[in-house]
Amino acid sequence: MATNEPVKDYAPGSAERSDIVEEIQRLRSSTIDLPMYIGDELRASGEKFDVVEPHNTAQVLGYGFKARREDAQDAIDAALAVSEAWRNTSFEDRASIFLRAADLLADEYRSAIVATSMLGQSKTVYQAEIDAACELIDFWRFNVEFARQLQAIQPLSVPGVINSFDHRPLEGFVYAISPFNFTSIAANLPTAPALMGNVAVWKPAMTQMLSADVIMKVLNQAGLPAGVVNLVSGDGIAVSDVALKHRDLAGIHFTGSTGVFQHLWHEVSQNLTNYRSYPRLVGETGGKDFIVAHRSADPEVTKVALIRGAYEYQGQKCSAASRAYVSASLWNVIKDELVAEIESLTQGDVADFRNFMSAVIDEKSFARNSAVIDRARSASDVSILAGGTYNKDIGYFVRPTLIQSTNPEAEWFTAEYFGPFLAVYVFDDNDFEKVVHQLESVAPYALTGSILAEDETIIEWTSQVLRFAAGNFYINDKPTGAVVGQQPFGGSRASGTNDKAGAIHNLMRWVSPRAIKRNLNPPTAYPYPHMD
Ligand code: NAD
């Protein structure tokens, strides 16, 4: 079995730290074109957009190019042109390319992928390391193992009959659309289908272009034939215009917000009669992830789970804790220290390694999160306990904010803001059961959640009541930080199709098995014995 890539710690004096410092200087010293990859062409034409550091918006790192309809058409044509050759390439040859890509990322490209994710997506070095390096290396290595397991699934053969599965890829192309917040997820969306023999058109987020470019370089160097994964950039509207109407759309591999996925699904349904096959729709979407802390929970564990769960990467993880339900007696013990610790969280430029947090991704996110803080400030059910300020003079900075609300039905407990904002509902110790039932379905999402408790009966009971409230459920831990191969990730309800990225479940969506029967003794006369 594959093993997880060890996480480097970038401690002062370490070799990996000096590599990153050097790489950051290199990236900041030039402004590069970030082209589209269409077949074997690098296309840097069309309307340009700036790729900046969200924590220092004056620093332009590169320019992307907004894909037009013709770019989308060319990318689809380039994909379809190589699809036969790619699907006829043996599985082991395809797998070896992704294993080579993993090795390149673990070594030669490690500082490039970490530094570009730091600067382009405002990740601290640790957050970039666990995502862009380790999780992506894991996706590529573990997917190969899971694909082998999938291929080993074969039907029963009996005397005189040999049966087999031919694990065919889908007919057509896969349209992969990725979010800004995880470099690893972005790369996995086109490459998991490609491993199974599919070709892909990949549309990364405009704010992830810097690290997306490194991914394409790694794949090329690893030997992925041109055209298997084609990168088109921009907001995706023109690309969807072409791709969603195309007869050969074989599937959509999406991660991002619920609204966008629902829009894509709707568009597909409108075009249903135009497709050659029913497109596979795989989407991992939004969340309103919870922590429920019973009075028996350890106070220190609760504090750390709340802080790390809610504020790491500025709360921009789909799994980030954004609502917490805390027993009053426990709350009385932790409240003051929790508030003081949140107020002391360091925030700023990711190149200053002392920072725990940095900026939110863009103007849109800053506007959304500052508006939430403003609404909270004037809401009668809310007290702001920590943070509650924002400033975009240099970058899109929103302070880690903790609010307490007396209304568990309020928007703070139901809406996804995707920022450093945690709402707490404090309940009477005797109301635990009532609160768990209430939180189960107050939000439309079902992605991640945690129960913090020392009492085993409580853990059992809560886990049962919340069985459908989260696709990833944690006991005495924060609800973030899923590791490939250990906690396969995905949620249901408005959080997605729960096809578990980095697991056999996901890879199954990218094959269309053909069952083959070989009869060793075919009958030579048609009548049956009962006819005698
Ligand atoms: P988003 O939905 O705004 O954008 C996602 C991608 O869709 C981007 O590449 C965007 O350009 C593209 N897009 C938007 N409209 C499109 C269209 N009509 N055609 C083609 N592409 C289009 O999401 P985001 O802000 O990048 O990411 C944050 C969201 O992603 C949050 O809701 C978060 O919960 C979710 N997310 C979920 C998971 C998960 O595993 N469930 C993981 C990461 C992020």
Side-chain angles (χ1 to χ4, degrees):
M1 194 66 190
T3 51
N4 294 111
E5 175 66 14
V7 178
K8 293 185 190 276
D9 62 17
Y10 298 86
S14 62
E16 65 266 19
R17 185 162 167 140
S18 49
D19 287 350
I20 287 291
V21 170
E22 212 175 286
E23 188 66 17
I24 286 175
Q25 279 164 1
R26 203 183 61 74
L27 290 166
R28 281 180 167 167
S29 65
S30 64
T31 308
I32 55 169
D33 276 352
L34 301 161
M36 294 186 254
Y37 290 71
I38 299 177
D40 56 9
E41 181 192 343
L42 297 185
R43 190 175 293 182
S45 63
E47 192 188 334
K48 271 187 176 185
F49 60 90
D50 292 352
V51 174
V52 303
E53 296 187 19
H55 46 271
N56 179 13
T57 48
Q59 176 77 49
V60 181
L61 298 160
Y63 302 111
F65 299 86
K66 291 190 181 164
R68 301 149 295 191
R69 289 176 56 93
E70 59 264 36
D71 301 316
Q73 187 61 55
D74 291 349
I76 294 168
D77 291 347
L80 294 176
V82 300
S83 92
E84 188 176 345
W86 180 242
R87 67 178 178 240
N88 292 337
T89 301
S90 75
F91 171 75
E92 287 306 325
D93 283 349
R94 292 198 307 259
S96 66
I97 293 172
F98 293 105
L99 293 175
R100 218 161 27 242
D103 290 347
L104 284 169
L105 204 65
D107 185 21
E108 189 180 333
Y109 282 88
R110 195 179 197 115
S111 51
I113 202 75
V114 171
T116 51
S117 301
M118 289 172 73
L119 296 188
Q121 292 144 265
S122 272
K123 293 195 171 221
T124 61
V125 72
Y126 180 74
Q127 293 300 318
E129 166 73 7
I130 57 174
D131 160 27
C134 300
E135 185 165 335
L136 181 47
I137 293 164
D138 287 352
F139 271 140
W140 282 339
R141 290 184 180 150
F142 278 82
N143 275 346
V144 166
E145 299 231 358
F146 293 133
R148 287 201 183 110
Q149 288 171 11
L150 198 163
Q151 283 171 325
I153 299 173
Q154 289 295 333
L156 178 71
S157 289
V158 294
V161 177
I162 299 172
N163 296 312
S164 61
F165 263 147
D166 164 12
H167 293 280
R168 304 172 302 180
L170 310 181
E171 280 187 287
F173 69 95
V174 172
Y175 183 18
I177 306 173
S178 56
F180 77 86
N181 67 332
F182 276 97
T183 305
S184 52
I185 292 177
N188 188 50
L189 294 184
T191 57
L195 173 66
M196 305 315 291
N198 297 279
V199 290
V201 172
W202 172 30
K203 212 300 287 169
M206 290 164 81
T207 40
Q208 191 251 323
M209 283 303 297
L210 199 66
S211 56
D213 191 63
V214 176
I215 290 163
M216 291 306 293
K217 289 189 172 120
V218 170
L219 291 173
N220 284 347
Q221 193 169 321
L224 189 72
V228 174
V229 171
N230 302 276
L231 183 156
V232 288
S233 35
D235 63 12
I237 307 291
V239 182
S240 284
D241 224 25
V242 178
L244 299 179
K245 294 192 176 84
H246 201 289
R247 169 180 177 266
D248 293 314
L249 177 73
I252 295 181
H253 201 190
F254 176 83
T255 300
S257 60
T258 300
V260 172
F261 188 53
Q262 291 182 348
H263 166 77
L264 297 170
W265 194 304
H266 181 259
E267 290 295 299
V268 166
S269 73
Q270 297 298 304
N271 287 296
L272 210 50
T273 52
N274 301 329
Y275 300 128
R276 175 143 67 159
S277 317
Y278 294 105
R280 300 275 169 94
L281 303 179
V282 176
E284 297 304 330
T285 58
K288 189 70 191 176
D289 310 300
F290 59 83
I291 291 178
V292 53
H294 183 253
R295 65 170 183 275
S296 69
D298 181 300
E300 298 305 317
V301 169
T302 307
K303 260 190 310 177
V304 174
L306 291 172
I307 292 174
R308 287 190 172 175
Y311 304 124
E312 278 181 339
Y313 192 37
Q314 297 81 262
Q316 297 174 119
K317 299 187 184 189
C318 45
S319 53
S322 57
R323 53 184 174 131
Y325 302 84
V326 184
S327 236
S329 58
L330 174 65
W331 181 248
N332 292 337
V333 176
I334 65 169
K335 180 184 168 191
D336 291 345
E337 278 182 30
L338 178 68
V339 169
E341 283 184 32
I342 294 170
E343 292 292 18
S344 73
L345 293 176
T346 47
Q347 188 172 27
D349 189 334
V350 291
D352 179 346
F353 283 39
R354 292 167 304 179
N355 286 324
F356 176 78
M357 294 173 65
S358 190
V360 298
I361 193 71
D362 57 14
E363 177 74 47
K364 194 169 145 202
S365 169
F366 181 83
R368 184 175 61 243
N369 282 286
S370 45
V372 173
I373 289 174
D374 291 347
R375 285 202 298 284
R377 205 170 275 296
S378 57
S380 58
D381 61 299
V382 170
S383 7
I384 297 186
L385 304 181
T389 56
Y390 45 83
N391 185 309
K392 61 171 182 173
D393 290 348
I394 297 172
Y396 301 115
F397 289 103
V398 178
R399 277 301 295 167
T401 298
L402 178 72
I403 67 155
Q404 185 177 345
S405 164
T406 52
N407 176 9
E409 306 279 325
E411 64 159 301
W412 338 111
F413 296 101
T414 61
E416 184 186 54
Y417 305 131
F418 224 56
F421 189 93
L422 174 65
V424 178
Y425 180 71
V426 179
F427 58 87
D428 186 292
D429 285 5
N430 297 320
D431 284 343
F432 181 77
E433 292 188 5
K434 189 172 118 198
V435 164
V436 171
H437 281 295
Q438 193 270 347
L439 79 88
E440 198 276 340
S441 49
V442 68
Y445 303 102
L447 192 51
T448 76
S450 310
I451 165 71
L452 307 179
E454 295 286 313
D455 182 328
E456 276 305 321
T457 326
I458 290 293
I459 293 172
E460 272 305 305
W461 180 87
T462 312
S463 171
Q464 198 52 35
V465 174
L466 297 179
R467 190 165 175 227
F468 288 92
N472 284 68
F473 190 68
Y474 294 80
I475 299 167
N476 287 329
D477 206 348
K478 63 186 165 65
T480 62
V483 174
V484 176
Q486 295 192 36
Q487 296 94 22
F489 193 79
S492 56
R493 297 186 185 161
S495 291
T497 53
N498 198 15
D499 288 297
K500 298 294 186 208
I504 194 169
H505 310 70
N506 180 279
L507 300 182
M508 278 182 173
R509 301 299 308 273
W510 309 118
V511 292
S512 174
R514 175 170 69 140
I516 302 174
K517 170 185 175 183
R518 171 182 279 252
N519 196 337
L520 300 176
N521 302 305
T524 51
Y526 85 85
Y528 290 103
H530 69 83
M531 294 162 66
D532 287 348

